[in-house]
């Protein structure tokens, strides 16, 4: 194996595939992409497990097995462990951040992260085939399609939204829409998932200057006096050092802070007892803080008598609709995604669900190192279950119940299975606490911030404060959650950091 590179990219997930592809555009750059999980080669070669290529599943076969503790409960926090990372196991939903989300980032002192400045990077990713909003990217590498699944039940639901005063969105991703309902969009072609290993890496994976090093666990960075010279990795049980002029961390919102913490870069007083007196330390108290995720609950209904048969006869066993909803009508902007879907097959299975996701929860969590061993899981304390969030979700369940009450939905929907009609008013609070689930959009653990911001880990160009050649380019950068699922924004962030690195290089040469 080659061991000396210009740039090493640590973590071959959504962001890592993009950064490696972009940096290796320069044929004079020797780029390595290191990934703990397997690399199944180009998708066209046929070695990928079917479950990672299907847009129907969020498979658990390639998962890190992380957990988040919150208020006495433990919640799984899924993360993909394979080339392509979480894009190979996620729910393939693509949602745009709102213009206001990104303008708020810029207002935090992050030049270059406002909506207009980030727009070219969002567009660079997207090959949107159906969206009506004129700002979409059409020529990118990630196909984005609309989920055209309608049915008589979905038509009745659409009318119910209109009765509630929620407008129809011709394009669900219109970044100026303050609320509305529309059709979901996905990085999928029909029922086939297009993950980032396929979209960004396959077109460039044969480049002689790009080295894919899979099934290799990154332990820690080798650094001194604010300069990284390489990285220690474990491959087939053997420890080796790879050297580099520059390192980019793309190991995701859990992997990236873990590598920093194991390397002695983080809250010094927490790391000293774990890493021992001889370990180099760089005090960056924000590493592992600001662990954000979105969260939600599900309202499930059984089928009314004859509803399954009618949907099957209409050739529409599956249907879905997604809404941007305000938990309280006085809010200026939506704060919830509500994803409705029905499945008339298999007979007797779950029929109709309304997943309610709270996009801007009240509280973040923290991630801590438990051991210097690279295989040790972190301790993650999550912000799941804050009383204000429970209130908003109780309001959201009340909204969904009002929405589904009109007589036009009665031929389709039977009894409410969860929470169940017995849970109303105050009785809903403990039910929500008990049934909260994470959305698996972890982020923020090495966040961006302006110079002088004590808990900022990275400067606006992605460089880790205190280092001249260490960068982060993944979901860890997110300073504040957007009112959106995270994927497209992470991809645009990776494009932006990579583009800055390429520019810096060309200025020097
Ligand atoms: C189940 C699930 C469903 C989701 N659904 C959606 C959705 O529908 N829509 C949406 O917008 N977002 C969704 N997301 C979120 C979205 O997929 C992520 O935000 C995005 O993929 C994060 O990209 P990333 O590059 O930061 O991390 P990842 O894609 O997770 O990549 C990190 C990579 O680093 C590797 N790695 C980590 N540590 C090490 C180490 N020590 N050594 C070597 N390699 C390492 C990992 O194996 C992984 O390949 C979902 C996520 C999950 C898990």
């Amino acid at each position: 194996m080659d061991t000396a590179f210009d740039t090493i990219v640590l973590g071959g997930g959504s962001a890592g595939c993009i950064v490696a592809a972009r940096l290796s555009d320069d044929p004079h750059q020797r780029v390595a992409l290191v990934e703990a999980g397997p690399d199944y080669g180009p998708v066209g070669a046929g070695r990928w497990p079917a479950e990672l290529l299907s847009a129907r599943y969020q498979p658990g076969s390639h998962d890190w097995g992380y957990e988040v503790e919150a208020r006495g409960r433990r919640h799984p926090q899924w993360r993909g462990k394979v080339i392509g990372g979480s894009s190979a196991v996620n729910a393939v939903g693509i949602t745009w951040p709102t213009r206001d989300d990104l303008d708020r980032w810029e207002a935090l002192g992050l030049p270059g992260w406002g909506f207009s400045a980030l727009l070219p990077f969002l567009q660079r990713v997207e090959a949107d085939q159906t969206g009506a909003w004129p700002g979409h990217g059409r020529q990118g590498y990630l196909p984005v399609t609309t989920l055209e699944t309608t049915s008589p039940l979905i038509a009745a639901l659409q009318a119910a939204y209109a009765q509630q005063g929620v407008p129809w969105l011709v394009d669900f991703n219109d970044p100026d829409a303050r609320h509305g309902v529309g059709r979901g969009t996905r990085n999928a072609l029909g029922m086939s998932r297009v993950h980032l290993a396929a979209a960004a890496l396959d077109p460039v994976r044969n480049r002689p200057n790009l080295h894919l090093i899979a099934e290799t666990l990154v332990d820690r960075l080798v650094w001194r006096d604010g300069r990284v010279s390489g990285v220690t990795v474990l491959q087939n049980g053997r420890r080796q050092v790879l050297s580099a002029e520059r390192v980019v961390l793309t190991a995701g919102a859990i992997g990236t802070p873990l590598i920093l913490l194991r390397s002695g870069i983080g809250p010094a007083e927490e790391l000293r007892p774990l890493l021992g007196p001889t370990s180099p330390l760089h005090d960056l108290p924000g590493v592992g803080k600001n662990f954000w995720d979105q969260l939600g609950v599900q309202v499930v209904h059984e089928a009314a008598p004859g509803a399954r048969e009618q949907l099957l006869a209409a050739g529409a066993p599956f249907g879905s609709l997604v809404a941007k909803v305000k938990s309280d009508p006085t809010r200026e902007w939506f704060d919830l995604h509500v994803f409705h879907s029905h499945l008339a097959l298999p007979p007797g299975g779950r029929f109709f669900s309304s997943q309610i996701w709270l996009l801007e929860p009240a509280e973040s969590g923290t991630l801590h190192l438990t051991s210097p061993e690279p295989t040790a899981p972190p301790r993650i304390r999550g912000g799941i279950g804050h009383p204000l969030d429970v209130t908003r979700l109780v309001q959201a369940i009340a909204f969904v119940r009002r929405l589904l009450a009109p007589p036009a939905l009665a031929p389709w929907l039977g009894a409410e299975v969860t929470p169940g009609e017995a849970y109303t008013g105050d009785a809903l609070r403990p039910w929500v606490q008990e049934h909260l689930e994470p959305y698996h959009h972890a982020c923020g653990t090495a966040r961006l911030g302006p110079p002088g911001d004590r808990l900022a880990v990275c400067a606006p160009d992605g460089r880790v404060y205190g280092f001249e050649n260490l960068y982060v380019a993944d979901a860890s950068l997110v300073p504040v959650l957007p009112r959106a699922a995270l994927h497209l924004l992470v991809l645009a962030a990776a494009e932006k950091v990579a583009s800055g690195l390429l520019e810096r290089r060309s200025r020097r040469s």
Side-chain angles (χ1 to χ4, degrees):
M1 178 170 89
D2 288 323
T3 58
F5 304 95
D6 294 299
T7 304
I8 303 186
V9 183
L10 300 179
S14 299
C17 288
I18 290 177
V19 174
R22 212 43 72 240
L23 297 185
S24 63
D25 281 344
D26 175 352
H28 304 298
Q29 278 287 302
R30 283 166 52 81
V31 177
L33 178 62
V34 183
E35 166 57 39
D39 173 17
Y40 293 108
V43 165
R47 295 200 300 276
W48 277 77
E51 78 271 17
L52 299 181
L53 296 179
S54 167
R56 289 178 205 275
Y57 312 111
Q58 297 172 58
S61 56
H62 294 69
D63 183 56
W64 281 84
Y66 294 129
E67 285 186 333
V68 174
E69 311 164 17
R71 296 180 166 83
R73 287 184 62 207
R74 300 176 83 82
H75 303 264
Q77 176 65 228
W78 296 329
R79 294 288 93 192
K81 188 176 187 180
V82 58
I83 199 93
S86 298
S87 75
V89 302
N90 75 8
V92 299
I94 287 290
T95 59
W96 273 62
T98 69
R99 187 183 304 273
D100 181 65
D101 289 327
L102 294 175
D103 288 348
R104 282 189 300 173
W105 286 23
E106 190 165 39
L108 294 172
L110 297 173
W113 291 90
F115 188 82
S116 315
L118 207 62
L119 183 59
F121 299 105
L122 291 156
Q123 291 170 331
R124 191 174 291 180
V125 173
E126 235 195 353
D128 184 286
Q129 304 183 356
T130 44
W133 181 63
H136 279 293
R138 309 286 176 190
Q139 310 291 332
Y141 44 85
L142 191 70
V144 176
T145 55
T146 302
L147 192 56
E148 289 292 349
T149 48
T150 195
S151 74
L153 162 48
I154 293 299
L157 187 59
Q158 203 175 321
Y161 265 104
Q163 277 176 34
Q164 293 295 321
V166 178
W168 178 251
L169 297 175
V170 180
D171 185 337
F172 186 72
N173 281 323
D174 179 341
D176 296 307
R178 293 184 176 223
H179 69 153
V181 58
R183 304 210 185 287
T185 46
R186 315 186 308 154
N187 52 309
L189 292 170
M191 280 301 144
S192 301
R193 167 197 303 279
V194 183
H195 52 56
L196 267 293
L201 204 57
D202 279 358
V204 302
R205 61 160 63 230
N206 289 331
R207 286 177 174 168
N209 63 328
L210 176 59
H211 301 255
L212 302 186
I213 307 175
E215 298 186 48
T216 301
L217 184 68
V218 176
D219 177 3
R220 66 191 68 192
L221 305 165
V222 183
W223 64 272
R224 207 178 149 174
D225 297 334
R227 198 177 160 76
V228 176
S229 58
V231 50
T232 310
V233 299
L234 285 172
Q235 195 182 48
N236 298 324
R238 277 188 44 228
R239 197 170 284 272
Q240 351 195 359
V241 176
L242 309 178
S243 67
E245 290 297 312
R246 185 168 67 180
V247 170
V248 185
L249 284 159
T250 49
I254 297 175
T256 286
L258 275 178
I259 294 170
L260 287 169
L261 294 170
R262 281 198 295 272
S263 310
I265 303 167
E269 81 232 32
E270 192 178 316
L271 294 179
R272 174 68 71 209
L274 271 168
L275 299 179
T278 55
S279 167
L281 277 187
H282 173 67
D283 189 26
L284 257 188
V287 178
K289 306 278 189 322
N290 201 50
F291 178 94
W292 284 106
D293 192 4
Q294 296 156 331
L295 47 104
V297 290
Q298 298 194 33
V299 177
V300 176
H301 285 77
E302 60 188 35
R308 284 174 194 275
E309 294 73 14
Q310 281 195 58
L311 289 169
L312 286 173
F318 177 73
S320 71
L321 210 58
V322 60
K324 296 171 167 176
V325 171
K326 303 176 184 183
S327 60
D328 167 348
T330 63
R331 294 181 80 89
E332 205 182 327
W333 283 87
F334 66 95
D335 57 335
L336 306 165
H337 276 169
V338 183
F339 183 79
H340 305 275
S341 63
H342 70 73
L343 184 61
L345 294 167
R350 170 183 288 204
F351 175 66
F352 181 81
S353 65
S354 304
Q355 300 178 14
I356 303 170
W357 299 109
L358 189 57
L359 303 173
E360 297 174 296
E363 194 179 32
S364 62
T366 52
L367 176 148
H368 307 269
L369 197 67
T370 54
S371 151
E373 283 307 311
T375 49
R379 177 158 199 213
I380 308 175
R381 295 197 174 104
I384 302 172
H386 190 281
L388 287 173
D389 294 344
V390 173
T391 301
R392 285 199 283 162
L393 287 167
V394 166
Q395 289 167 336
I397 292 171
F399 167 81
V400 167
R401 284 175 171 170
R402 280 196 305 281
L403 176 81
L404 301 181
L409 282 155
W412 307 107
L413 301 184
E416 184 182 293
V417 183
T418 67
E421 280 141 21
Y423 291 94
T424 54
D426 279 351
L428 267 173
R429 292 189 74 88
W431 184 89
V432 167
Q433 280 283 7
E434 182 66 18
H435 291 85
L436 276 169
E437 299 170 39
Y439 209 178
H440 304 290
H441 295 166
C443 62
T445 43
R447 74 161 168 83
L448 295 165
D453 174 345
R454 207 180 69 83
L455 291 180
V457 176
C458 296
D461 61 356
R463 187 177 54 82
V464 175
Y465 279 116
F467 288 83
E468 60 184 81
N469 61 345
L470 177 62
Y471 292 81
V472 174
D474 61 20
S476 320
L477 290 175
V478 169
V480 179
L481 275 169
R483 300 177 188 95
L486 219 61
H487 202 195
L488 183 64
L489 184 52
V490 172
L491 307 182
E495 282 286 357
K496 178 175 165 56
V497 174
S499 144
L501 291 172
L502 279 175
E503 262 174 39
R504 202 161 297 121
R505 190 102 212 156
S506 59
R507 273 203 305 271
R508 252 196 264 149
S509 53

